[in-house]
Amino acid sequence: MSLEDNQKIKVAIVINDFLVGGAQRLVADQLKYLDRERFEYVLITLFTFPGKSNFHHLIPDDVQLHQLSFSSFKDVKNWINLFQLLREIRPNIVISHLFFSNTVTRILKVLCGYTCIAVVHNTYIDKTHLQIFVDKILSYATYKIVAVSKTVALFTSRQERIPRTKFEIIHNGIDIKEINSRIVKLSSKDVLKEELGFRKNDKLFINVARLTPQKNQLLLIESFAHFVSKYPESHLVILGEGGLRRKLEGMINKYSLHQKISLCGYVDPIPYYKVSDYFILTSHIEGFAIVGIEAMTCGLPVVSTKTAGPDEYIQEGKNGFFIEPASTKEVVKSMERVALFPDYDFLRKNAVNSAQEFDIRNTVAKYSTLLSSAACQQ
């Protein structure tokens, strides 16, 4: 597919779905700021989940959305639908996110002739041998593989035996200006605490994540049960939804912590960041953990397991603390370290300063450079 002078570069962004999630939010935020002078964008989602919360309302008006309804890799009808759609759109470049989308778009490249960029969002320790083999083979049909952190790039390169030179590291980003503008419009911290149902003297630890085994909130609740027995002014706030909700509720019942732990579901996290004192993450694996950057933007020191993302942006004893290894004893120890730190304002200031590097505009600038480079392959 040739690209004539002064012709806009057509980019199709393909992702599994647009449900509430880190990869989906990243795409939504990028679409607000990606260069419209040189590029034209369409968004393609491959699965539909009626009734579930999504980010469709965040898609800019000038970005056309195409929704398919794949049921599995064996869904021949939707393979044909996607092929026909790509032939109709005729993108110069396809950026795909997540394993399913990365796979189908790179296979169809053979028939459609676009340049492929695949984005890897996590350190996928549970990939099957077949999935690893497929990714390895399809890497030869890929211009670049974007990794959202250094650890993701190194892990994937080693796992799939793909040369490190094939990877481009582009950190996830957030809209820092938008978050700051929203925070200043909210009520004062004390007033907002009361509005959200907390007590003025509560010391709030907040966790924002899907309620899934990967995010490991079972460890968090068990650890907090020990911590709050020594520090009764503490309160744990968990924002998110997922399949572990009932188990988490059962553990809260087990420790009689209804007054000390709040499962708030899927809600806007910004007001909760403002009233909180610390952010905590106990995930088994991450790709970048953008919520940690959101929390730091709001001035919260971050306590986290040493996963991809936090291993780059947490500076031990300056803007947060690591939990290492991931055990009840170490979670409690790290919570104590941040709660008893003698200069809380020092941690807050460093957290805010650390977040500035990860503004969405920096992310978009790097993607624009990559897209321009990929366009030269046409």
Side-chain angles (χ1 to χ4, degrees):
M1 186 182 300
S2 62
L3 188 63
E4 298 177 1
D5 293 341
N6 300 321
Q7 180 183 346
K8 280 192 176 183
I9 302 165
K10 186 170 286 189
V11 180
I13 299 173
V14 184
I15 190 167
N16 293 2
D17 56 64
F18 227 54
L19 299 180
V20 173
Q24 294 83 347
R25 184 57 195 249
L26 174 67
V27 171
D29 284 345
Q30 286 178 353
L31 283 171
K32 287 194 298 184
Y33 296 106
L34 282 167
D35 181 7
R36 300 305 202 268
E37 294 296 322
R38 300 181 60 202
F39 304 100
E40 178 185 347
Y41 306 94
V42 296
L43 176 63
I44 302 172
T45 60
L46 302 184
F47 292 86
T48 55
F49 298 96
K52 289 193 175 183
S53 300
N54 59 63
F55 285 142
H56 286 175
H57 62 286
L58 298 178
I59 302 171
D61 292 338
D62 68 328
V63 176
Q64 189 173 12
L65 171 64
H66 300 272
Q67 295 177 272
L68 299 179
S69 300
F70 272 88
S71 58
S72 70
F73 274 115
K74 298 178 182 179
D75 188 343
V76 175
K77 179 182 176 181
N78 273 288
W79 274 90
I80 295 171
N81 289 341
L82 179 58
F83 167 69
Q84 291 175 338
L85 178 60
L86 290 169
R87 288 295 295 268
E88 177 185 340
I89 294 171
R90 294 179 58 80
N92 302 103
I93 302 167
V94 170
I95 303 178
S96 58
H97 296 259
L98 307 173
F99 178 77
F100 191 96
S101 297
N102 289 345
T103 301
V104 297
T105 55
R106 289 188 289 182
I107 289 173
L108 291 177
K109 164 191 166 65
V110 178
L111 300 174
C112 299
Y114 44 73
T115 298
C116 286
I117 296 172
V119 185
V120 182
H121 288 270
N122 217 318
T123 49
Y124 295 109
I125 59 175
D126 295 326
K127 268 188 178 177
T128 66
H129 292 299
L130 177 59
Q131 289 173 326
I132 291 171
F133 175 75
V134 168
D135 262 350
K136 167 69 173 177
I137 295 302
L138 292 180
S139 70
Y140 295 105
T142 311
Y143 175 63
K144 283 290 183 179
I145 301 171
V146 173
V148 299
S149 66
K150 293 178 183 177
T151 301
V152 167
L154 291 171
F155 177 89
T156 308
S157 175
R158 290 169 182 166
Q159 182 190 55
E160 301 179 355
R161 298 182 181 180
I162 298 171
R164 176 64 182 80
T165 53
K166 177 68 75 169
F167 291 81
E168 184 90 10
I169 298 169
I170 303 181
H171 292 119
N172 290 349
I174 62 171
D175 195 337
I176 291 177
K177 289 183 179 179
E178 180 184 2
I179 290 176
N180 287 337
S181 68
R182 292 184 59 199
I183 288 175
V184 298
K185 294 176 183 177
L186 294 171
S187 305
S188 67
K189 183 173 181 176
D190 288 344
V191 172
L192 191 55
K193 262 189 174 180
E194 184 177 355
E195 291 174 355
L196 295 175
F198 303 114
R199 297 176 303 179
K200 181 178 179 180
N201 294 328
D202 283 340
K203 291 293 183 181
L204 302 180
F205 283 82
I206 184 171
N207 170 268
V208 182
R210 289 173 288 111
L211 309 184
T212 64
Q214 176 192 330
K215 303 299 183 179
N216 204 14
Q217 286 101 343
L218 290 171
L219 173 63
L220 176 56
I221 290 176
E222 182 179 353
S223 303
F224 185 76
H226 293 280
F227 180 81
V228 75
S229 66
K230 294 177 63 177
Y231 305 96
E233 74 281 4
S234 301
H235 193 106
L236 175 62
V237 182
I238 300 176
L239 308 187
E241 286 291 356
L244 280 187
R245 173 175 273 277
R246 287 190 178 181
K247 283 190 176 181
L248 300 182
E249 291 171 340
M251 183 167 279
I252 292 171
N253 289 336
K254 173 184 175 181
Y255 290 111
S256 301
L257 290 174
H258 303 88
Q259 302 301 315
K260 291 296 182 179
I261 299 178
S262 300
L263 293 179
C264 300
Y266 171 63
V267 294
D268 179 5
I270 302 303
Y272 289 87
Y273 285 140
K274 181 164 184 175
V275 301
S276 296
D277 300 281
Y278 317 101
F279 183 84
I280 186 162
L281 198 67
T282 51
S283 300
H284 289 299
I285 62 170
E286 286 288 349
F288 186 72
I290 197 70
V291 287
I293 301 299
E294 289 180 349
M296 290 200 303
T297 297
C298 299
L300 303 188
V302 175
V303 177
S304 175
T305 43
K306 201 165 189 179
T307 58
D311 65 352
E312 291 186 54
Y313 57 71
I314 290 179
Q315 300 171 47
E316 182 85 9
K318 293 184 177 181
N319 60 14
F321 296 92
F322 288 114
I323 300 165
E324 194 178 18
S327 66
T328 299
K329 177 182 177 181
E330 293 302 320
V331 174
V332 173
K333 180 179 176 180
S334 295
M335 292 177 75
E336 286 183 329
R337 291 178 72 190
V338 73
L340 300 177
F341 194 82
D343 192 347
Y344 178 68
D345 287 339
F346 171 81
L347 294 177
R348 283 181 58 88
K349 180 180 178 180
N350 285 330
V352 171
N353 289 338
S354 298
Q356 302 308 304
E357 177 185 349
F358 303 100
D359 186 86
I360 190 64
R361 294 157 187 81
N362 296 333
T363 302
V364 165
K366 292 175 182 178
Y367 267 99
S368 295
T369 299
L370 178 60
L371 288 171
S372 296
S373 174
C376 294
Q377 305 300 306
Q378 296 292 313

